[in-house]
Amino acid sequence: MKPKNLIPQSTERLASLDLTEMEDQDFTDTFDERTQSLELNQLFLPDAVTESGSFRVSGVHQTTLGRLLDAIPIAAMLLDPAQQTIVFSNKSAIRLFGGLASPVRPVPFSRICVGSSAAQRAEKLLGLMVMDRSPHTFEATVGTEQCPLWGRIHLRSVRVPSGRFILVLIEDLTAEKRHAVTMCKRGDDLEIRVRQRTADLMRTNEELKTEILIRKQAQKRLDLAAKVIASANEAILITDLKGSIIHVNKAFTRITGYSKNEVLGKNPKIMASGRHDTTFWAEFWQTLAQSGHWRGEVWDRRKNGEVFPKMLAVSAVKNKKGLTTHYVAIFSDISTKKESEERMEYMAHYDPLTGLPNRLLFRDRLRQALQRVARDGKMLALMFIDLDLFKNINDTFGHSKGDELLTAVAERLTECVRQGDTVARLGGDEFTVIMSDVPESRNIIRMAQRIMGSLSKPFYLKGHEIFTTASIGISVYPMNGVDGDTLLKHADTAMYHAKDLGKNNFQFFSQRMNEELTRLMRLEITLRRAIESNGLILHYQPIIDTTTGHIVSMEALLRIKTTQGKILSAGAFISVAEERGLIVPLGEWILATACRQNQAWQAAGYPPVKVAVNVSLRQLKEPDPVSKFMGIVRECGMDPRYLELELTESAIMENPERIIAILKEFRKYGVSISIDDFGTGYSSLSRLRYLPIDKLKIDMSFVSDLTKDATGHALITTIVTLAHSLGMTTVAEGVEHKEQLDILRTLRCDTYQGFYFSRAVNAAMFERLLGEQAAFRMTRPTGVASI
């Protein structure tokens, strides 16, 4: 066992002593027992103290120094400076190093150093001590490879009587080093554990930070969700699994009237309206259980008892295990939406002015009624009612009064019909009545008479007394059709026939009416195709002076060229053009074509004659018709003095004040005015003298009677005399025989036109007629152009 104690305090002082101070001292054999205190200042005796005999290295154990070194508990050696070999080892050294420290056979000191680096360092330090004798201390592994020791080595140079030596003191630091290594290892282990624990703590800290962040984010989401729930416009209600309310938002209170405290812990059934039966709620819970969601309309009751509709969406809230824990209901008040839908539904099926069913609902009611009477084998009557001269009422009293009249008419119609019949307004002043389950035809007649009698009575509308009548067309199922569209079309046709018969009557549909309607439709199609394909042509019929027999003017007549190349007279098309709104563009085309042709003839050197076109009342109702007509004439380059406009008596008499003002404007430009078919209308003779008229055209019906009886002769005489007395000229239409012309001359009729001289011809042939009478010079232009 190696001594575990290091060195006593005296040894430490010995090791720290600078032994160079003793290099000139002599050691004697005298040994003072008191030196056993191991004080270094007592170990080396002064020169005066000597031991008998001289100091011998081989016997140093016998000397005071030897005994002294043997007594110390650390390894001590004396080295030969020159050979660096061990010449003396004390007991402690021999005990530690065994044979390596034996002086019997000197060995180099480096042999006791383990490892080449330790041996080299020892040799280097010993070499330095030989030269400068300075003390050195170093630590190295000593002993053997099998039994190494860690020592602290002190080197000192000493002189003894026999010469100089190097004193080596070796402290055994093995236990200390082992303790230090153990402590270091323990420190390393502790540091590793500390580092591991620190890493664990840091990891835990990061996990805590993450958890805190997640919790904060979750809290933010919860706060946001709470804010959303609180500020949502839709009511939100949350219940537990038992159906008890645990939370509601502000919108819930606003919509239902219940405060939060009033509903907490209660079942939503407190708001039940009673409109939904048990089957409805059974299906509700079944859907919610199967899919976890339900959405639909529900009627609930507010706190004040008011029942209201709501759009409800219910969802089941589940936990991580998939078990339902709560129910969330979100609903909104759709009362306004429902009211809007009802208004839209009403507006889609009812007339907003009169409140009667509109065209859409009328068709649906007619379809249902036809199905019923077809099943029961009964009759059905459809009446198409149109007010007479309703447009005049609008123009006279204004559209507001017209609307009031329509409302009053709707009320009277509703009062006239039977319960179960339908009164509808199709638009404008058009009404229909559906009479279903009619026993016999006379019931239909009595109903029509009742309606006409009711509508003929005066209407008192806020201070105005208004009179109106109606024209009624009637179609009957199944005689006049078996479907709604056919019956409506036939009733409409019968209504127009009633108007043609003078208005204020009713007519049943007949096949003849249908044929007439078909004819008019075909005429309209032909007219439209002619307009689109440039199939309009003007023919010109000369007007002859009864005295000279020369052409003094011309009448332009419209012809239509069909797609098959056939030329048709336009007389039958004019009424269609009036009814279908084509007369305005058609009249403008006739005016422009006639003016351009007349100007072309004048530019070619032919005698200037007047040309005119028939003007319809619809054209004169256009905004500023005078400016429009004169613009066309100027564009054609013709002098307005060679234009004459021809109107009917009825057109002038419909609104005489306005028409007279317009005609006076035309005359300011030099345009002549004539009345066509005079004597067949209802013009007042007293008003005739105030009309700005230049010419009266005698209707051909009067001319044809000239050779038959004295009545025609008297009528024409009266017309000619009246015209001349008012400063007007006359034109006799439809002269076909010389006898008619001779009578007209005797009656002083100014001009005539008819087949006797020439039919209406195209522009090329009329130009030939003008050429044949090139010598003619018109002293006063008197011509007319007409449609």
Side-chain angles (χ1 to χ4, degrees):
M1 292 293 292
K2 302 294 187 299
K4 293 184 180 181
N5 59 320
L6 295 179
I7 56 176
Q9 183 178 4
S10 58
T11 307
E12 293 178 359
R13 294 183 63 185
L14 174 62
S16 63
L17 179 63
D18 188 359
L19 298 182
T20 57
E21 298 176 356
M22 301 183 296
E23 62 182 359
D24 294 329
Q25 294 178 349
D26 293 326
F27 288 93
T28 64
D29 292 332
T30 304
F31 181 80
D32 189 346
E33 293 295 335
R34 290 176 297 179
T35 61
Q36 294 184 16
S37 63
L38 299 182
E39 293 293 337
L40 289 180
N41 60 344
Q42 298 174 345
L43 287 178
F44 303 102
L45 301 178
D47 293 341
V49 181
T50 60
E51 185 180 4
S52 62
S54 63
F55 180 81
R56 296 185 304 277
V57 175
S58 60
V60 72
H61 286 282
Q62 307 302 321
T63 65
T64 301
L65 178 60
R67 290 193 296 274
L68 174 62
L69 292 177
D70 279 337
I72 62 176
I74 65 172
M77 300 178 183
L78 290 177
L79 305 181
D80 181 357
Q83 300 298 326
Q84 297 185 359
T85 56
I86 302 172
V87 297
F88 172 78
S89 298
N90 68 353
K91 294 179 180 179
S92 294
I94 295 172
R95 188 168 51 252
L96 289 175
F97 304 113
L100 291 176
S102 174
V104 176
R105 189 176 61 184
V107 297
F109 176 74
S110 60
R111 287 283 302 278
I112 70 170
C113 294
V114 178
S116 58
S117 60
Q120 292 174 1
R121 187 178 182 189
E123 292 174 353
K124 182 178 179 182
L125 293 177
L126 290 174
L128 291 175
M129 292 193 65
V130 172
M131 292 184 295
D132 57 13
R133 302 178 185 176
S134 58
H136 294 281
T137 302
F138 69 98
E139 293 183 0
T141 304
V142 295
T144 62
E145 294 286 347
Q146 293 75 21
C147 188
L149 301 175
W150 185 262
R152 181 181 292 122
I153 304 170
H154 303 273
L155 303 178
R156 298 291 185 271
S157 179
V158 296
R159 185 177 60 82
V160 293
S162 59
R164 182 175 296 279
F165 295 90
I166 296 175
L167 175 61
V168 179
L169 299 176
I170 302 175
E171 299 179 55
D172 185 2
L173 301 180
T174 301
E176 180 182 352
K177 285 292 184 179
R178 288 177 178 171
H179 179 70
V181 169
T182 301
M183 294 302 294
C184 182
K185 184 177 180 181
R186 290 179 179 177
D188 290 343
D189 293 342
L190 179 60
E191 183 177 359
I192 292 172
R193 290 197 299 274
V194 169
R195 288 179 180 176
Q196 184 65 38
R197 184 57 177 166
T198 302
D200 293 342
L201 291 174
M202 292 179 66
R203 184 168 56 255
T204 302
N205 186 50
E206 291 299 323
E207 292 174 354
L208 288 174
K209 287 182 179 179
T210 303
E211 180 67 20
I212 292 172
L213 179 61
I214 293 173
R215 288 178 178 270
K216 287 183 177 180
Q217 292 174 345
Q219 187 61 43
K220 287 182 179 180
R221 289 194 294 269
L222 289 175
D223 294 341
L224 179 60
K227 291 179 181 179
V228 170
I229 292 175
S231 60
N233 288 328
E234 293 79 12
I236 299 177
L237 177 147
I238 303 175
T239 71
D240 58 18
L241 197 57
K242 296 180 180 179
S244 299
I245 299 174
I246 62 174
H247 182 73
V248 294
N249 64 349
K250 294 180 180 179
F252 174 89
T253 299
R254 173 173 52 81
I255 294 174
T256 66
Y258 287 100
S259 67
K260 184 176 181 179
N261 292 333
E262 289 175 323
V263 297
L264 289 181
K266 296 182 180 180
N267 193 285
K269 291 181 180 179
I270 61 173
M271 298 180 291
S273 65
R275 291 195 178 189
H276 304 288
D277 55 19
T278 55
T279 302
F280 173 86
W281 290 115
E283 293 176 354
F284 166 87
W285 285 110
Q286 181 180 3
T287 302
L288 187 60
Q290 291 176 350
S291 65
H293 303 281
W294 185 91
R295 180 180 176 84
E297 290 186 9
V298 175
W299 287 84
D300 265 1
R301 191 180 302 277
R302 306 186 205 272
K303 182 180 178 181
N304 61 7
E306 177 188 357
V307 175
F308 71 100
K310 68 181 183 181
M311 178 58 69
L312 174 65
V314 181
S315 298
V317 180
K318 301 180 182 296
N319 58 18
K320 293 181 179 180
K321 296 180 179 180
L323 300 177
T324 300
T325 59
H326 298 83
Y327 293 104
V328 176
I330 302 176
F331 62 86
S332 57
D333 186 351
I334 58 173
S335 300
T336 304
K337 179 182 177 182
K338 280 288 187 181
E339 292 172 359
S340 177
E341 289 177 351
E342 291 175 358
R343 286 196 300 271
M344 294 297 293
E345 180 73 13
Y346 180 84
M347 293 176 65
H349 293 90
Y350 290 89
D351 175 46
L353 176 64
T354 63
L356 295 177
N358 61 9
R359 185 180 294 270
L360 181 64
L361 184 56
F362 158 76
R363 288 184 177 276
D364 184 64
R365 295 271 183 90
L366 180 58
R367 178 183 56 80
Q368 294 180 22
L370 287 173
Q371 291 176 350
R372 186 169 57 255
V373 296
R375 182 180 61 248
D376 298 339
K378 295 183 179 180
M379 287 195 304
L380 176 145
L382 178 61
M383 296 184 180
F384 198 107
I385 305 169
D386 188 90
L387 300 183
D388 298 327
L389 301 178
F390 177 72
K391 191 175 186 307
N392 292 344
I393 295 174
N394 267 340
D395 293 341
T396 304
F397 298 99
H399 288 278
S400 61
K401 279 289 182 282
D403 290 345
E404 292 179 25
L405 177 61
L406 292 175
T407 303
V409 168
E411 293 175 355
R412 291 193 183 183
L413 289 175
T414 304
E415 293 171 356
C416 290
V417 301
R418 306 168 304 170
Q419 185 177 5
D421 293 342
T422 296
V423 180
R425 182 190 177 206
L426 302 188
D429 60 335
E430 296 177 345
F431 297 85
T432 58
V433 173
I434 302 173
M435 291 183 62
S436 58
D437 302 329
V438 179
E440 50 189 358
S441 300
R442 60 184 178 183
N443 297 98
I444 304 173
I445 296 174
R446 284 198 296 268
M447 176 68 74
Q449 291 173 338
R450 186 184 307 123
I451 291 175
M452 292 186 63
S454 176
L455 297 182
S456 64
K457 296 177 183 178
F459 291 86
Y460 299 96
L461 307 175
K462 297 180 181 179
H464 292 85
E465 185 179 21
I466 297 178
F467 291 87
T468 187
T469 57
S471 299
I472 304 176
I474 305 172
S475 61
V476 180
Y477 169 90
M479 289 78 76
N480 303 138
V482 294
D483 61 271
D485 290 340
T486 301
L487 289 172
L488 182 62
K489 181 183 69 173
H490 290 169
D492 187 25
T493 301
M495 183 272 296
Y496 276 107
H497 185 64
K499 284 190 177 292
D500 291 340
L501 294 178
K503 305 179 178 62
N504 192 26
N505 68 93
F506 64 89
Q507 295 293 320
F508 283 86
F509 173 79
S510 66
Q511 187 59 34
R512 183 183 60 81
M513 296 179 189
N514 193 43
E515 292 172 356
E516 176 65 15
L517 178 63
T518 302
R519 186 186 69 82
L520 293 176
M521 290 179 61
R522 289 175 179 172
L523 286 175
E524 179 184 357
I525 293 173
T526 301
L527 178 59
R528 289 185 181 275
R529 287 177 178 174
I531 294 174
E532 294 172 357
S533 60
N534 297 322
L536 301 178
I537 303 172
L538 278 187
H539 282 193
Y540 301 90
Q541 185 175 37
I543 298 176
I544 312 303
D545 188 294
T546 57
T547 302
T548 64
H550 294 157
I551 300 174
V552 293
S553 59
M554 58 183 168
E555 181 180 359
L557 300 172
L558 179 65
R559 298 291 183 264
I560 292 177
K561 185 177 182 180
T562 66
T563 55
Q564 292 79 23
K566 186 177 180 180
I567 304 299
L568 302 177
S569 174
F573 293 91
I574 298 305
S575 60
V576 175
E578 287 273 7
E579 293 174 0
R580 297 298 184 261
L582 300 174
I583 194 64
V584 173
L586 189 62
E588 292 176 358
W589 180 89
I590 295 172
L591 176 63
T593 304
C595 291
R596 279 196 299 269
Q597 182 61 72
N598 194 22
Q599 177 59 27
W601 283 328
Q602 293 181 23
Y606 293 101
V609 294
K610 283 190 176 183
V611 63
V613 294
N614 271 332
V615 178
S616 73
L617 179 63
R618 181 68 184 83
Q619 288 177 274
L620 296 181
K621 289 182 178 181
E622 288 288 297
D624 198 4
V626 178
S627 297
K628 182 178 291 186
F629 276 51
M630 290 301 99
I632 294 174
V633 174
R634 283 192 297 269
E635 185 178 348
C636 296
M638 189 186 78
D639 191 330
R641 292 180 301 161
Y642 296 102
L643 174 64
E644 187 170 306
L645 301 180
E646 195 171 301
L647 293 84
T648 63
E649 292 180 78
S650 58
I652 296 176
M653 292 300 105
E654 183 169 331
N655 191 352
E657 289 77 11
R658 183 176 185 274
I659 299 301
I660 290 173
I662 292 174
L663 296 181
K664 287 181 178 180
E665 287 293 321
F666 276 121
R667 294 192 71 185
K668 290 180 181 180
Y669 288 95
V671 177
S672 300
I673 308 297
S674 66
I675 293 182
D676 192 17
D677 301 330
F678 183 77
T680 60
Y682 306 95
S683 57
S684 171
L685 294 180
S686 62
R687 179 170 292 182
L688 184 62
R689 60 177 178 169
Y690 299 109
L691 295 177
I693 303 299
D694 298 290
K695 185 182 297 184
L696 297 179
K697 298 192 72 173
I698 303 172
D699 188 71
M700 64 177 61
S701 62
F702 299 148
V703 174
S704 64
D705 292 337
L706 278 176
T707 58
K708 296 178 181 179
D709 53 45
T711 303
H713 190 283
L715 289 174
I716 292 178
T717 300
T718 302
I719 294 173
V720 171
T721 302
L722 176 65
H724 288 170
S725 66
L726 295 176
M728 305 175 187
T729 61
T730 56
V731 179
E733 295 182 296
V735 177
E736 299 180 356
H737 308 288
K738 184 177 183 302
E739 292 81 3
Q740 295 171 337
L741 177 58
D742 291 339
I743 296 173
L744 290 172
R745 284 172 178 168
T746 61
L747 296 178
R748 299 171 56 207
C749 183
D750 301 293
T751 57
Y752 76 94
Q753 66 186 95
F755 292 170
Y756 176 70
F757 184 86
S758 174
R759 295 175 178 270
V761 295
N762 59 32
M765 295 185 66
F766 189 84
E767 185 174 333
R768 186 181 305 171
L769 292 176
L770 289 176
E772 293 174 355
Q773 299 190 40
F776 173 74
R777 294 292 182 267
M778 184 178 66
T779 58
R780 180 171 61 87
T782 58
V784 180
S786 52
I787 298 177

